[in-house]
Short mmCIF file of all heavy atoms in Angstrom, two decimals:
data_model
loop_
_atom_site.label_atom_id
_atom_site.label_comp_id
_atom_site.label_asym_id
_atom_site.label_seq_id
_atom_site.Cartn_x
_atom_site.Cartn_y
_atom_site.Cartn_z
N ARG I 7 4.29 5.62 -5.50
CA ARG I 7 4.35 5.64 -6.93
C ARG I 7 3.37 6.67 -7.48
O ARG I 7 3.67 7.41 -8.45
CB ARG I 7 4.05 4.27 -7.55
CG ARG I 7 5.22 3.30 -7.37
CD ARG I 7 4.90 1.97 -7.99
NE ARG I 7 6.01 1.07 -8.02
CZ ARG I 7 6.04 -0.16 -8.49
NH1 ARG I 7 4.84 -0.65 -9.05
NH2 ARG I 7 7.06 -0.92 -8.49
N PHE I 18 6.40 17.80 -16.54
CA PHE I 18 6.27 17.85 -17.99
C PHE I 18 5.30 18.87 -18.43
O PHE I 18 5.48 19.55 -19.51
CB PHE I 18 5.85 16.44 -18.55
CG PHE I 18 6.92 15.48 -18.61
CD1 PHE I 18 6.90 14.27 -18.03
CD2 PHE I 18 8.08 15.82 -19.40
CE1 PHE I 18 7.97 13.38 -18.12
CE2 PHE I 18 9.15 14.93 -19.53
CZ PHE I 18 9.05 13.73 -18.89
N ALA I 24 6.80 26.17 -20.70
CA ALA I 24 8.01 26.98 -20.76
C ALA I 24 8.48 27.25 -22.12
O ALA I 24 9.08 28.22 -22.43
CB ALA I 24 9.18 26.29 -19.94
N THR I 65 1.65 35.65 -18.69
CA THR I 65 0.48 35.53 -17.79
C THR I 65 -0.72 35.02 -18.62
O THR I 65 -0.76 35.21 -19.86
CB THR I 65 0.13 36.90 -17.20
OG1 THR I 65 -0.22 37.84 -18.22
CG2 THR I 65 1.24 37.48 -16.36
N MET I 82 19.57 31.78 -27.11
CA MET I 82 19.51 30.87 -28.26
C MET I 82 20.84 30.64 -28.88
O MET I 82 21.15 29.62 -29.48
CB MET I 82 18.59 31.44 -29.36
CG MET I 82 17.05 31.28 -29.01
SD MET I 82 16.48 32.31 -27.70
CE MET I 82 16.35 33.90 -28.60
N MET I 92 7.74 29.67 -12.72
CA MET I 92 6.38 29.71 -13.08
C MET I 92 5.48 29.31 -11.88
O MET I 92 5.84 28.44 -11.06
CB MET I 92 6.07 28.76 -14.19
CG MET I 92 4.60 28.76 -14.72
SD MET I 92 4.29 27.57 -16.00
CE MET I 92 4.28 26.05 -15.01
N LEU I 95 -1.51 29.40 -10.49
CA LEU I 95 -2.22 30.14 -9.42
C LEU I 95 -3.37 29.32 -8.78
O LEU I 95 -3.74 29.60 -7.67
CB LEU I 95 -2.74 31.48 -9.92
CG LEU I 95 -1.67 32.43 -10.44
CD1 LEU I 95 -2.27 33.69 -11.05
CD2 LEU I 95 -0.70 32.84 -9.32
N MET I 124 10.71 13.17 -3.31
CA MET I 124 11.95 12.64 -3.92
C MET I 124 13.08 12.56 -2.91
O MET I 124 14.24 12.94 -3.18
CB MET I 124 12.37 13.57 -5.09
CG MET I 124 11.30 13.61 -6.24
SD MET I 124 11.90 14.45 -7.73
CE MET I 124 12.17 16.10 -7.10
N ASP I 160 7.07 31.63 -32.71
CA ASP I 160 5.63 31.85 -32.68
C ASP I 160 5.25 33.24 -33.16
O ASP I 160 4.08 33.47 -33.54
CB ASP I 160 5.04 31.62 -31.29
CG ASP I 160 4.77 30.17 -31.06
OD1 ASP I 160 5.19 29.34 -31.80
OD2 ASP I 160 4.03 29.87 -30.07
N GLY I 188 -5.31 39.62 -35.61
CA GLY I 188 -5.72 38.80 -36.74
C GLY I 188 -6.12 37.41 -36.21
O GLY I 188 -5.93 37.07 -35.08
N GLU I 215 2.50 22.34 -34.37
CA GLU I 215 2.30 21.03 -33.72
C GLU I 215 1.96 21.22 -32.23
O GLU I 215 1.20 20.43 -31.69
CB GLU I 215 3.56 20.20 -33.86
CG GLU I 215 3.80 19.68 -35.28
CD GLU I 215 5.11 18.98 -35.47
OE1 GLU I 215 5.87 18.96 -34.47
OE2 GLU I 215 5.35 18.49 -36.55
N GLU I 218 -1.69 21.83 -32.06
CA GLU I 218 -2.39 20.62 -32.41
C GLU I 218 -2.53 19.75 -31.18
O GLU I 218 -3.58 19.10 -30.92
CB GLU I 218 -1.71 19.91 -33.55
CG GLU I 218 -2.02 20.44 -34.94
CD GLU I 218 -1.38 19.60 -36.01
OE1 GLU I 218 -0.33 19.02 -35.78
OE2 GLU I 218 -1.96 19.60 -37.12
N LYS I 272 23.75 17.45 -5.34
CA LYS I 272 23.22 16.84 -4.11
C LYS I 272 21.71 17.03 -3.98
O LYS I 272 21.00 16.34 -3.24
CB LYS I 272 23.94 17.34 -2.87
CG LYS I 272 23.71 18.88 -2.62
CD LYS I 272 24.49 19.29 -1.38
CE LYS I 272 24.28 20.82 -1.13
NZ LYS I 272 22.88 21.12 -0.83
N ALA I 275 17.56 14.69 -8.44
CA ALA I 275 17.22 13.30 -8.70
C ALA I 275 17.08 13.09 -10.19
O ALA I 275 16.55 13.95 -10.87
CB ALA I 275 15.90 12.91 -7.97
#
Side-chain angles (χ1 to χ4, degrees):
R7 284 184 174 178
F18 279 123
T65 62
M82 283 73 76
M92 184 184 71
L95 299 175
M124 298 190 298
D160 275 15
E215 288 173 356
E218 281 185 329
K272 65 181 179 62

